[in-house]
């Protein structure tokens, strides 16, 4: 059995990734806030013949993250962790509240750190595991009105690169996937036209989950447009 933990599976890239992994026979622990959309992902994944378990988790809440990780580990050691969920609150810096700054850093950067820290020891003991962090092309540039989001995404690449050093020769690996403008709800209101489908990003994530050699450890994959 291969088990993948995915955050943000209710829609967009997270749902596309969940279903693409299900197509490959991977069981799923779907971490997210309870919703009809999340239940629909569970249904669609189960339809593909895998076990798909929703695990309630508000990613901004460290205690909930810890409980969610424990729940996953009570069932099985995951082989894959896809840190996909993120939030963007668009505003110029002068109008960015501390609450909005913290929310974006907490969900987009702290949650991947906490989830990795919670699951990694068991993955190391198992001698296998892949951690895929979904950054953004905003991990490589600045965007007006998105300073907190950009800072979180640059930070996620720093986390990935440092983790890769710590995973050297361990049999585990981590990569960051940096999509450009993807046709999902997050892009709405951004002023950017969609250039990439969620399915294309999912295919790239699945490649790094299941097929890419360990030599990709520490890799950063930029995706621009078709
Ligand atoms: N769309 C783009 O153009 C684009 C470009 C570059 C990178 N990305 C990255 O791709 C990843 C997926 O984005 P997407 O476009 O698929 O976005 P999306 O459609 O807005 O989906 C975001 C997901 O994150 C979850 N989430 C957000 N805040 C959460 C919280 N506090 N606790 C639990 N779950 C939370 C949402 O769950 P709920 O249903 O509970 O809200 C949803 O499942 C993100 O890391 C994003 O930064 C997207």
């Amino acid at each position: 059995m291969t088990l993948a933990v995915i955050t943000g599976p209710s829609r967009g890239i997270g749902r596309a990734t969940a279903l693409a992994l299900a197509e490959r026979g991977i069981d799923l622990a779907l971490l997210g806030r309870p919703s009809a959309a999340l239940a629909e992902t569970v249904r669609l994944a189960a339809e593909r013949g895998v076990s798909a378990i929703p695990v309630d988790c508000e990613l901004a809440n460290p205690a909930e993250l810890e409980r969610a990780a424990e729940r996953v580990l009570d069932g099985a050691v995951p082989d894959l962790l896809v840190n996909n969920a993120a939030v963007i609150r668009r505003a110029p810096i002068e109008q960015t509240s501390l609450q909005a700054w913290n929310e974006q850093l907490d969900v987009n950067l702290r949650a991947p750190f906490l989830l990795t820290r919670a699951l990694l020891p068991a993955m190391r003991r198992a001698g296998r595991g892949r951690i895929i962090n979904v950054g953004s092309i905003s991990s490589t540039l600045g965007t007006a009105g998105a300073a907190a989001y950009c800072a979180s995404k640059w930070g996620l690449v720093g986390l990935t690169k440092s983790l890769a050093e710590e995973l050297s020769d361990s049999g585990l690996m981590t990569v960051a996937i940096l999509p450009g403008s993807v046709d999902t709800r997050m892009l709405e209101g951004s002023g950017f036209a969609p250039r990439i489908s969620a399915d294309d990003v999912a295919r790239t994530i699945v490649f790094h989950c299941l097929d890419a050699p360990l030599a990709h450890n520490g890799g950063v994959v930029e995706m621009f447009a078709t």
Side-chain angles (χ1 to χ4, degrees):
M1 183 194 71
T2 301
L3 175 68
V5 176
I6 306 177
T7 66
S10 68
R11 59 176 185 266
I13 294 166
R15 176 184 279 176
T17 301
L19 299 186
L21 285 169
E23 294 283 352
R24 297 282 301 267
I26 307 299
D27 291 330
L28 302 169
L30 300 170
L31 264 64
R33 300 180 283 211
S35 68
L38 179 56
E40 178 64 2
T41 303
V42 170
R43 190 189 70 74
L44 291 167
E47 228 174 56
R48 287 159 171 78
V50 299
S51 158
I53 310 291
V55 181
D56 290 2
C57 189
E58 162 52 66
L59 291 167
N61 182 326
E64 283 197 29
L65 268 167
E66 209 162 295
R67 274 197 298 277
E70 277 167 17
R71 223 190 117 192
V72 169
L73 291 170
D74 279 349
V77 177
D79 306 272
L80 305 167
L81 167 60
V82 182
N83 284 308
N84 161 76
V87 62
I88 186 165
R89 304 285 180 216
R90 293 185 181 87
I93 290 174
E94 305 95 297
Q95 289 161 31
T96 296
S97 66
L98 181 58
Q99 187 197 19
W101 173 273
N102 284 341
E103 181 194 14
Q104 291 168 91
L105 271 291
D106 290 355
V107 174
N108 304 0
L109 181 57
R110 188 177 69 183
F113 154 65
L114 289 173
L115 215 40
T116 299
R117 193 180 67 171
L119 298 177
L120 190 54
M123 293 166 98
R124 273 194 193 277
R125 280 193 297 277
R128 58 184 160 62
R130 295 182 175 211
I131 297 173
I132 315 296
N133 291 326
V134 182
S136 166
I137 215 65
S138 299
S139 303
T140 68
L141 44 74
T143 305
Y149 179 80
C150 281
S152 72
K153 293 297 187 178
W154 280 78
L156 192 59
V157 170
L159 175 67
T160 307
K161 291 279 186 188
S162 302
L163 177 61
E165 293 294 320
E166 296 181 12
L167 293 182
S168 184
D169 294 325
S170 67
L172 285 71
M173 79 165 195
T174 183
V175 298
I177 310 295
L178 314 185
S181 298
V182 187
D183 194 5
T184 71
R185 193 188 300 176
M186 181 175 277
L187 197 67
E188 290 170 12
S190 69
F192 296 107
R195 304 293 306 275
I196 307 172
S197 71
D199 284 339
D200 277 351
V201 182
R203 285 170 59 197
T204 306
I205 294 171
V206 170
F207 170 71
H208 287 89
C209 282
L210 301 180
D211 300 318
L214 288 175
H216 282 246
N217 185 35
V220 172
V221 181
E222 297 181 18
M223 301 179 69
F224 296 102
T226 50

